[in-house]
Amino acid sequence: MARSINESGSSWVFPDGPLEEIASRCDVITAASLVGSCKFYHDSATQSVALPASQPFGMPCVLHTHQTEVPPAHNPFYRVHKFKQEGAQKDKQHDAKDRKGTLCQLTPLDRISSDAVIPDGGTGMWAGANGDWIALLGFPWNWELVNVYTGRRIPLPPISEFKSTPDKLVFESNDQHLQLLKIAICRVPTAASNYTSFSVLAIFNAAIAVLHCASSRWTVLDNQFLAYGYSDAIIHKGIVFAVTQTGEVYAWNQLSWGPLLISTAPIPPELDEQGRYNLGSWWLARSPDGSRLFLVHTWGVTDGRDYTGLVRILPAAATSEGRHGRTIRGYGKGLLGCEVYSMDTSQLMPPRPWRRIISLGSYSLFLGVNYPIIIPVEDGAEHDRPNMARSNSVYTSHHAVGLAYPPSPEICRFSLNSEDCTVGFQTNIRWTWRQVPLWLIPSFANARQWNLPSRHRLCRGGGDGHLEALTGDNINLIAAHLDVTYTVRLAACSRELYDMISKDEGKMHHWDEPCLLMPPPAYWFDEHWDVARTSRLHDTVYDLVPLDHPRRSVALPFMHDRKWLGANGDWIAAADHHEWCLVNVYTERHIPLPSLPDSKIDHSSFSYQPAYSFNWGPAIDLLKIVICQVPTKGGRYADYKLIALFDKTIFYLEGGGDWRMLEALTPAPDYPNYCDAIELRGHVFAVDETDGSTYFWDTANENLMLPFVIPPPVVDDQQYAWFLAPSADGKRLMIILTVNKIGIANAEVPPDIPYAANGLQLRQYPPVATYVFELDPLSTARAGDFLWRQVNSLSDHSLFLGLNYPIISNLKKRESKAPDGTLVPFMRKNCVYTAYRNIRYNQYPKILRCNLQPDEGETVGVISLPKDGWDSVRQAAMWFKPALNIARSVLPLKKQ
């Protein structure tokens, strides 16, 4: 695989190759679409070793409804407004803004279930599938074939002989009610036929209709001999075969004859005597080489109906075990069973007899609402247990759409080996789907067909990663599935990709907008964080939450077993049990930091604790690492400036040097009680939480003499939370103070207000006094007169304060107040936003927004995070501003 190289020659953009890294982070459907987007990826994917390990390509999977409903704002297909379909008519039916996607789950037999996004789900029902295509049922008569990878849609005409009813599955014909069972896609559309030639069967309980072209009419196949309803139908060697619920098989040759009853049910005597066939299902399929017709009978699978007068076979599970997130149940011999029969259909008058198939060899059959799949399956074992995917087996799912009761077990594996028992599992815990499960084999085998006659795709591309071959629609859709860090890596591959992503026409990204970087919800609710980490999310994936837009994920692999201590720009300060370090969020460049001087800090008695616990005469606690100046390439990544802020002392570090202690020499036990610190114009400033006094040291003096002390701007009995920040031009020092305690009378807690835009919980509190003061510390120090000037307005800016280095963001396009006086939109100008002040302070629920010019009675907006979960998540939420600038910095060196 070609690799994208950055300016220093290291492969930080896609270390394992762009195809493998991007595909592993997309859902499998989008990953297949990516493979088909250019010839380079298509050729690489066929030779890739890593790609099959990250996605279940070529594996039989159950496609079923996701257990959660995803709002449009989180739906990639919904958000990509300019997602275009090759060859589609530009009318309302095919207009991109009306296109939506459906978040589904894809369940491989021997892997954990994963998400899959297929296009054009909407309110349509899945009614069949074959290869890359599914059949969707809308109302009224809005039937379509949809390609799951490209979104191409082929509308099917209505059946003129049938009349629709309010139920999209029920139709009327000659005063007879017809129930649609499924749509069999017997021959899929192809680019060679301009997607106009295919073969489709509409299978009803008492009728069969066939269609061979989108522009033609359905042909209803009459059957005056039909006594029982149909169960399944296929097209084999140009002849339509249908089997009834009692095993009778009929055949039609549309050009000359039909219907012809070619056989009755070939039921073994032992089954016929017990009446078990009355509880079975009948299926039709083709042999692997396509020469013979298969008839499959499964029995013993029940549902919730009352079988009065029949021998009901209760599938009591003999064994059960949890595997891959689902419970696999085994059923004893005689409870469930399957027989497979074969017929040579080259002679039908008179027909040849059915022959019992004892073995399918290395093949297995997958039956359901989808067109029958027969493929070779490799046997294997995992931890001395046989896999669910086995050869010589028959797998079944639902036999029809719209079942009133689910089959039990829902997904079955019937082995033709006499010594093996039948096993089964359910796809969902409850019977709550809107869609019937389908068998689907994710594949990019037909990628060349998807893109014809497009000249933009499957081209040879250019550049290091050949990503230039992707269209804007591909990029938007792929980026919707990538976390923020990998979206930046994608943008760093070429100038064209950078331009596509930075334009953000799909409104999926919100670059240069302060967001909350925080653990995902799985860490906060219900479970201990260790359980949540292993059961739901990887421990290095966090949420990046814009204040008025859907949250996105951000992958931080370097945070494994680490705790963040501070942030500034693209850099995070982190610590584990051994060291402190600086790490770049996007490139993962790692800069180890020197240890604190042993002459100042005693490490020995705290060797069992993380690297932020120390002893210094009195016990001291690390509050945060302030990254005052980030490392840069021009400074060989050694030009950083850091402050280690403890509650009772401060250390200062310049790249390439050692930590220096900044002493105030206050007598014990009256040590300073520091709460915030920054570096400004070569001086370190630290504020004392006790009274708001500000100390500052001249860092140019190697001896770091005693500090100046700036008196607080406010002296009263109120308890304040104090913050320091530079002004927007970086010349003046600002001190911000808010009331440290917020609440209402009688300690009542306001109710949570769910914010659908990002999933956060908001609260309204009474107004809180918030003040901002500023001064020029150097000029006032020379004059010896420290006078704070109150700042009544931040104009078009807002301040974001907390564990991070202060962010002052220009929000010119934002309003300062909500037009209707509500809490939202939550992002506003001329406001002060505060988050967690340090890594140890559980200040629940104090992530708040205070307006510097509030209206009378205006409330304070508070983001409510779970109190009980704070100690367990171990990461304090902080402000972070995602940016593409690091991607842009490497582009001039890339040849386009």
Side-chain angles (χ1 to χ4, degrees), residues 454-614:
S454 172
R455 61 183 177 86
H456 299 292
R457 300 176 179 174
L458 283 178
C459 59
R460 293 195 174 274
D464 287 332
H466 294 255
L467 286 162
E468 292 82 354
L470 302 179
T471 67
D473 301 328
N474 293 126
I475 296 301
N476 282 337
L477 188 56
I478 292 167
H481 292 80
L482 297 181
D483 63 86
V484 174
T485 54
Y486 272 81
T487 301
V488 173
R489 295 186 180 199
L490 182 64
C493 289
S494 75
R495 186 175 302 279
E496 183 180 8
L497 293 179
Y498 176 87
D499 292 340
M500 290 179 183
I501 294 175
S502 62
K503 289 178 182 178
D504 195 14
E505 294 177 346
K507 302 301 179 186
M508 294 172 289
H509 318 287
H510 301 279
W511 306 113
D512 299 315
E513 180 177 303
C515 306
L516 275 173
L517 179 61
M518 55 188 285
Y523 284 95
W524 294 91
F525 299 102
D526 300 330
E527 297 176 314
H528 187 270
W529 74 278
D530 280 325
V531 178
R533 180 178 65 180
T534 56
S535 65
R536 300 187 188 177
L537 293 171
H538 194 273
D539 64 339
T540 60
V541 178
Y542 297 88
D543 274 0
L544 195 63
V545 188
L547 296 186
D548 295 302
H549 303 287
R551 66 181 64 201
R552 298 198 65 199
S553 62
V554 54
L556 305 176
F558 56 85
M559 287 303 300
H560 179 66
D561 286 338
R562 282 194 173 112
K563 183 186 184 79
W564 60 52
L565 308 177
N568 188 357
D570 305 334
W571 294 84
I572 284 181
D576 56 19
H577 288 262
H578 307 288
E579 68 167 7
W580 292 353
C581 62
L582 293 179
V583 187
N584 189 286
V585 170
Y586 305 111
T587 68
E588 298 179 22
R589 179 183 288 275
H590 177 273
I591 302 175
L593 300 178
S595 300
L596 295 176
D598 291 335
S599 61
K600 302 291 185 180
I601 295 292
D602 179 14
H603 299 266
S604 59
S605 61
F606 287 85
S607 60
Y608 62 91
Q609 292 188 357
Y612 46 86
S613 298
F614 303 94

Side-chain angles (χ1 to χ4, degrees), residues 267-305:
I267 298 296
E270 64 273 14
L271 284 182
D272 192 25
E273 293 175 359
Q274 299 181 43
R276 295 181 179 179
Y277 69 90
N278 289 300
L279 299 179
S281 295
W282 294 90
W283 320 75
L284 292 174
R286 303 174 67 192
S287 61
D289 60 3
S291 63
R292 300 176 67 86
L293 180 68
F294 279 0
L295 176 65
V296 182
H297 178 226
T298 59
W299 50 268
V301 179
T302 66
D303 54 32
R305 291 175 292 179

Side-chain angles (χ1 to χ4, degrees), residues 604-781:
S604 59
S605 61
F606 287 85
S607 60
Y608 62 91
Q609 292 188 357
Y612 46 86
S613 298
F614 303 94
N615 191 21
W616 170 69
I620 59 174
D621 290 327
L622 178 67
L623 304 183
K624 62 180 177 179
I625 296 292
V626 184
I627 307 176
C628 305
Q629 180 173 302
V630 299
T632 63
K633 178 191 174 186
R636 297 184 179 274
Y637 299 100
D639 53 347
Y640 53 86
K641 297 179 181 180
L642 307 178
I643 296 173
L645 178 65
F646 292 83
D647 56 347
K648 298 180 179 65
T649 190
I650 293 176
F651 285 84
Y652 178 71
L653 174 67
E654 293 184 354
D658 295 319
W659 289 99
R660 294 185 289 169
M661 177 180 282
L662 308 184
E663 300 187 59
L665 291 184
T666 53
D670 297 326
Y671 297 104
N673 187 18
Y674 297 120
C675 61
D676 201 6
I678 65 168
E679 190 268 353
L680 179 68
R681 298 167 64 183
H683 291 72
V684 172
F685 298 85
V687 62
D688 190 326
E689 187 173 33
T690 304
D691 60 0
S693 297
T694 302
Y695 300 81
F696 76 97
W697 296 261
D698 183 358
T699 60
N701 189 331
E702 293 184 359
N703 296 323
L704 288 175
M705 299 175 65
L706 296 179
F708 287 97
V709 180
I710 305 175
V714 175
V715 178
D716 56 28
D717 295 332
Q718 184 67 265
Q719 291 186 349
Y720 292 104
W722 303 85
F723 299 89
L724 295 177
S727 60
D729 59 7
K731 295 180 179 180
R732 295 177 303 281
L733 175 70
M734 293 197 299
I735 188 167
I736 303 94
L737 53 154
T738 64
V739 174
N740 202 21
K741 301 290 185 180
I742 63 174
I744 55 180
N746 302 321
E748 296 179 7
V749 178
D752 285 340
I753 304 172
Y755 191 16
N758 53 25
L760 294 176
Q761 300 289 329
L762 307 181
R763 290 181 182 175
Q764 298 185 88
Y765 279 87
V768 172
T770 302
Y771 306 100
V772 178
F773 297 88
E774 69 175 9
L775 59 74
D776 184 340
L778 302 188
S779 61
T780 54

Side-chain angles (χ1 to χ4, degrees), residues 261-509:
L261 176 63
I262 63 172
S263 74
T264 56
I267 298 296
E270 64 273 14
L271 284 182
D272 192 25
E273 293 175 359
Q274 299 181 43
R276 295 181 179 179
Y277 69 90
N278 289 300
L279 299 179
S281 295
W282 294 90
W283 320 75
L284 292 174
R286 303 174 67 192
S287 61
D289 60 3
S291 63
R292 300 176 67 86
L293 180 68
F294 279 0
L295 176 65
V296 182
H297 178 226
T298 59
W299 50 268
V301 179
T302 66
D303 54 32
R305 291 175 292 179
D306 181 19
Y307 295 90
T308 305
L310 297 176
V311 179
R312 183 178 182 184
I313 308 300
L314 297 177
T319 61
S320 64
E321 62 174 325
R323 299 194 66 189
H324 307 295
R326 64 193 73 102
T327 300
I328 307 297
R329 302 185 184 277
Y331 300 86
K333 296 180 180 179
L335 293 177
L336 296 91
C338 174
E339 297 84 35
V340 181
Y341 302 91
S342 172
M343 176 185 287
D344 181 358
T345 59
S346 59
Q347 177 181 321
L348 293 177
M349 291 185 260
R352 295 179 177 177
W354 293 105
R355 293 184 178 180
R356 180 82 176 267
I357 299 295
I358 304 300
S359 174
L360 294 174
S362 61
Y363 288 84
S364 285
L365 261 171
F366 297 85
L367 306 173
V369 172
N370 53 281
Y371 202 69
I373 300 171
I374 184 165
I375 57 172
V377 177
E378 293 184 3
D379 291 329
E382 183 181 273
H383 304 299
D384 299 325
R385 295 180 299 176
N387 288 345
M388 271 292 291
R390 303 281 299 276
S391 63
N392 195 31
S393 299
V394 175
Y395 295 82
T396 63
S397 178
H398 296 214
H399 68 275
V401 297
L403 295 178
Y405 301 93
S408 178
E410 180 198 3
I411 307 297
C412 290
R413 184 195 70 197
F414 300 93
S415 176
L416 297 190
N417 297 324
S418 58
E419 65 275 9
D420 293 340
C421 67
T422 300
V423 297
F425 66 90
Q426 307 294 124
T427 59
N428 283 344
I429 297 175
R430 300 183 302 273
W431 175 244
T432 57
W433 324 298
R434 295 181 297 105
Q435 306 287 10
V436 61
L438 301 172
W439 290 105
L440 180 73
I441 301 178
S443 173
F444 49 85
N446 298 323
R448 295 182 180 274
Q449 296 292 324
W450 299 343
N451 300 290
L452 295 176
S454 172
R455 61 183 177 86
H456 299 292
R457 300 176 179 174
L458 283 178
C459 59
R460 293 195 174 274
D464 287 332
H466 294 255
L467 286 162
E468 292 82 354
L470 302 179
T471 67
D473 301 328
N474 293 126
I475 296 301
N476 282 337
L477 188 56
I478 292 167
H481 292 80
L482 297 181
D483 63 86
V484 174
T485 54
Y486 272 81
T487 301
V488 173
R489 295 186 180 199
L490 182 64
C493 289
S494 75
R495 186 175 302 279
E496 183 180 8
L497 293 179
Y498 176 87
D499 292 340
M500 290 179 183
I501 294 175
S502 62
K503 289 178 182 178
D504 195 14
E505 294 177 346
K507 302 301 179 186
M508 294 172 289
H509 318 287

